[in-house]
Each structure stands twice: as structure tokens, then as C-alpha cells.
Amino acid sequence: VFRGAQFIARFGLRPDTETLTIMQSMVPELVTLPKERMREEWEKLLLKSKQPSLGLYALHEMGVIERYYPELQALHGTEQEFDWHPEGDVWTHTLLVADSAAAIIRYYGLTGEEARTVMWASLCHDLGKPETTEYKDGRIRSHGHESAGVEPTKKFLEKIGLDNNTVAKCIALVRDHLWPGVMYIKQARGEDVTDGAFRRLAKRIYPATVAELSFVAEADHRGRGPFVDPAHLEQFLLPDPFVAGAWIRKRAQELAIYKEVPRPILQGRDLIGLGFEPGKEFGRVIALAEDLRDQKNFTREQILELVSRAASLWAVRSKLTEALNR
């Protein structure tokens, strides 16, 4: 069944009625396959095809999606606001996003774990929409679908047999997949997006990376349209090419958080060097130093100056807290 879907996706084919009927009859046998085998077959379909959407569509026609993957099946028929998603329902959008992810992986030369993470997270990015979509005041809205997507993403990927690290990364990317576009529009309107906001993002999505998030957001953006109504200019706030992706990658590289979490601005050895005895207060002091950097733009030198004036760790905490609350 999966080999047939892979063949369809890799060569742009479509099964005839007889072949499709034969494959449909084999679907119940998939339950006997171990998770490891299912994961391998899924990843061949998703990562070795220029158009994985063709294989996904074939799996749906065969009944595989409906029988085994309710998280994906729920996307079928879940409507979207036409102004933002003229391509159709969430299933159609997801198919286009999967193809976009494949193109992005090729274009940027992504390999290994990074390519796998981008593809899986792209496939799962809107799994929260069936739960949150509602028709209200004449519009279709899916508020909170990012966080609502966490649980179905976890269930789906664990069922596939993905390792815990990849599952954790995909969950984080699903939860924050709108961040690049939202923040780009914010700064384009003249509002400040601080370095601290980027650092907090990098820590929040770990073990996923800002680089991976930018690629998932780009796949999501490319998997929409076409937009043909000039009356809705807000559709074009994120123009092609996906400038938000380039913007977030540039900022992340400048802050040295492109593929890693921020380095601590203050470490335990700094406190020891200033004469403080190691203890449980170290962690709280270091966390306060991080908050001062991210929320108040304090430099390492300013923080060390505050710390050096204190006679005890309790006094250090007091000084840093006072500075944070000003």
C-alpha cells in the first residue's frame, strides 16, 4: 500500500480503478506492521518525493488515512476563511504545505534530522484546526489552533513511531508556527521586536531551532492561495518570496541562536569568581540575569557590576529583582 503511494508521489502517477481496488483491499493488513516499518514507509513517501501530496492523496483514496490516522482525517472538510485560504479546506492546504516543505528542503539543501523535522512539523502544523474552527460573525476562525495542535501532533507522531526528540521538536514548531509571520508584520508596522523576544523564542522551542521554525512557517505560507482579489490587500502583508523567513533567519544568526539556544549571560563560574559560595540560589540569580538581558537589554558588564556590589547571594537577588522591576 505504502509502496504504491510512494510510487505515485515520486513519479506523478495515478492508479487506475482496478489497482486502487486491490490496494484498498490490503489496507487492513497494515495493522500487522511494526512501528519501525511504518515510520520508514512514511518517511520514504514524504522525503523522497517532489510532490508528497500525491502520495498523501492516494493514501486517503485507499482509506488508510480514515482507518488509521484520525488526526489527518479530521482535516478533510474543515473549512477555512477564503480571504486567507482560497485553496480550500485544511486538508487541501496541508497537501500544498507538504509539497512546499519538500521544495524548501531541496532549495535550502536540508538533510538528515533537520529535513525530517521540517517535513513532519509542516505536515502537522494545522492539526489543531478541526478542534478550534468556528463560524462567527460571518467569518471562519481557528483561534488558538497552534496550541490545540499539540496533542493531536503528539498522538499522530507517536503512532507513526517517531523518536521522542523529533516528536518534541515538531510539537514546539506546531505551537509556534505563526510566530515568524506575526512578528514580521509587527516590525513592518513599526513596532519593536526585541532581541529578547528572539532569545525567548529559541529557548521556548528547544530542542527545535529557529532555523527549522522559519522553514515550517515558509512552507505554511507557500501552501496558500492563489490570491486574486485586490480588495483584500491584507493578504499581501507577507509577500512572496517569504520575506519573514529571511528576516527571522538573519536576526537569529546575528544573535547566535540560529540553531542553538542563547548562551547564558551569567554563569555559575562568574559568581564563584566574585567570591560567592555555590548553592541553590545560583540558579535563581542566573535566571534573573537572563530576564534582565531579555526584558531590559542589560549587557553582561552591567549585570556583573550589579552583582559585584552585593555582599551575599540574597543581596544579589534583591538588586537584580529591583533592576528588573524598574
Side-chain angles (χ1 to χ4, degrees):
V1 171
F2 269 86
R3 294 293 171 84
Q6 293 163 17
F7 198 76
I8 289 167
R10 294 180 69 178
F11 299 101
L13 303 176
R14 180 174 177 80
D16 58 30
T17 303
E18 183 179 354
T19 302
L20 181 60
T21 300
I22 293 172
M23 289 192 288
Q24 287 171 335
S25 70
M26 299 170 64
V27 169
E29 298 176 16
L30 292 176
V31 74
T32 65
L33 296 180
K35 281 187 177 181
E36 293 76 12
R37 173 71 181 280
M38 293 300 291
R39 185 192 67 243
E40 291 174 4
E41 298 300 337
W42 265 102
E43 292 195 338
K44 287 176 184 176
L45 188 156
L46 293 173
L47 295 169
K48 292 189 175 183
S49 310
K50 287 188 176 181
Q51 286 186 278
S53 64
L54 298 178
L56 292 167
Y57 184 83
L59 289 178
H60 190 270
E61 280 193 307
M62 295 175 201
V64 173
I65 301 297
E66 182 178 8
R67 187 181 184 98
Y68 296 108
Y69 305 107
E71 300 83 8
L72 291 181
Q73 177 63 23
L75 304 180
H76 204 274
T78 298
E79 296 183 14
Q80 301 184 105
E81 183 64 25
F82 181 82
D83 287 352
W84 292 99
H85 288 281
E87 70 277 0
D89 65 8
V90 184
W91 172 249
T92 302
H93 169 60
T94 300
L95 295 183
L96 294 173
V97 171
D99 285 351
S100 297
I104 286 166
I105 288 168
R106 293 194 304 273
Y107 181 80
Y108 291 104
L110 308 185
T111 59
E113 176 64 18
E114 189 171 43
R116 294 175 68 244
T117 299
V118 169
M119 177 55 77
W120 281 114
S122 296
L123 181 63
C124 295
H125 81 287
D126 273 350
L127 290 185
K129 280 190 173 179
E131 178 185 340
T132 58
T133 297
E134 60 179 353
Y135 186 79
K136 188 175 182 180
D137 299 326
R139 307 297 294 269
I140 299 172
R141 292 287 184 263
S142 301
H143 293 303
H145 74 274
E146 313 96 289
S147 57
V150 167
E151 191 58 30
T153 295
K154 183 175 184 291
K155 287 181 179 179
F156 172 62
L157 296 182
E158 288 181 347
K159 190 184 307 176
I160 296 293
L162 263 64
D163 61 278
N164 291 338
N165 187 65
T166 303
V167 172
K169 292 173 74 173
C170 290
I171 286 173
L173 296 174
V174 166
R175 190 173 50 226
D176 267 296
H177 73 269
L178 295 182
W179 196 94
V182 170
M183 291 299 119
Y184 176 81
I185 291 174
K186 182 178 179 180
Q187 65 85 35
R189 288 172 170 163
E191 300 177 52
D192 187 28
V193 180
T194 66
D195 291 349
F198 273 84
R199 292 191 190 98
R200 288 192 295 275
L201 171 72
K203 288 186 281 189
R204 186 168 67 246
I205 66 174
Y206 179 82
T209 67
V210 176
E212 290 164 342
L213 179 64
S214 74
F215 297 131
V216 172
E218 184 167 347
D220 182 21
H221 174 74
R222 288 190 185 186
R224 305 184 305 148
F227 299 112
V228 295
D229 187 352
H232 295 287
L233 296 179
E234 70 273 13
Q235 296 167 343
F236 302 98
L237 287 172
L238 289 173
D240 285 318
F242 186 56
V243 289
W247 171 72
I248 189 176
R249 287 190 285 272
K250 182 174 183 293
R251 287 284 299 270
Q253 288 166 345
E254 291 170 348
L255 294 170
I257 57 168
Y258 185 54
K259 293 188 178 183
E260 58 186 333
V261 293
R263 295 187 181 93
I265 196 168
L266 187 69
Q267 299 188 50
R269 62 172 176 264
D270 296 316
L271 296 173
I272 293 172
L274 290 170
F276 296 104
E277 290 293 327
K280 61 182 180 180
E281 291 294 319
F282 269 35
R284 180 57 182 158
V285 168
I286 291 170
L288 283 168
E290 294 291 293
D291 290 341
L292 278 173
R293 177 185 64 181
D294 293 346
Q295 298 178 31
K296 299 291 185 177
N297 294 319
F298 268 53
T299 65
R300 173 177 164 82
E301 289 70 26
Q302 289 174 309
I303 292 171
L304 285 173
E305 183 180 356
L306 283 174
V307 173
S308 65
R309 293 177 185 175
S312 67
L313 283 176
W314 184 90
V316 170
R317 281 187 56 182
S318 179
K319 284 183 176 294
L320 296 186
T321 301
E322 180 183 352
L324 188 62
N325 292 332
R326 283 174 191 161

